Amino acid sequence: APGYRNLFPEDLSGQKKKLIRMLAFVVKSVEWSDEDWKNDVNPDEHLMLVVLALGRRHTHLYRVPKEAYAVVGEALMWTLLQGLGDALDPKTRGAWALLYELLSKTMMMAGAVEVEGDVSAADAERNGEAALLTQMASAGIDEARPGIGEELS
């Protein structure tokens, strides 16, 4: 949506990689076995804690309005349809829609909490990137190749 273009840098290649990494991590996390869910998770590698931190950054540092989440959800579903075609059957589409709803609501709830202290966007970005890479490594996701074609590199 053109109205949100100013929230992103001119070169979107970094954004694209971050989104792909996060989606790969989320998918890997929700595919955990029942046994995996019983184990304690390091707070730095916990999916919901990471999503909460992501929500706080998007609200307080990047100033992403709540209305943008619906637009992003629509764009995600359109992108999945373009990429998956007929493989995006109603069951798969419903699963993605439910997952995005859970993630976006969690992010918005985190953004509704006031944050004390002064953290720069650069520091938050660096900390978020480091946490995501740690999570991906612990989930067995290759940072250089999260299961997506080379054209995204």
Side-chain angles (χ1 to χ4, degrees), residues 39-88:
N39 297 328
D40 286 337
V41 178
N42 180 326
D44 292 337
E45 299 170 2
H46 191 286
L47 174 63
M48 285 294 107
L49 294 179
V50 169
V51 173
L52 289 169
L54 188 65
R56 285 192 304 270
R57 284 196 312 274
H58 276 72
T59 299
H60 299 289
L61 294 174
Y62 311 133
R63 305 289 184 220
V64 174
K66 286 183 179 181
E67 300 78 33
Y69 287 91
V71 174
V72 170
E74 291 171 17
L76 174 63
M77 297 310 290
W78 180 88
T79 301
L80 290 170
L81 180 60
Q82 300 308 305
L84 299 174
D86 292 340
L88 189 67

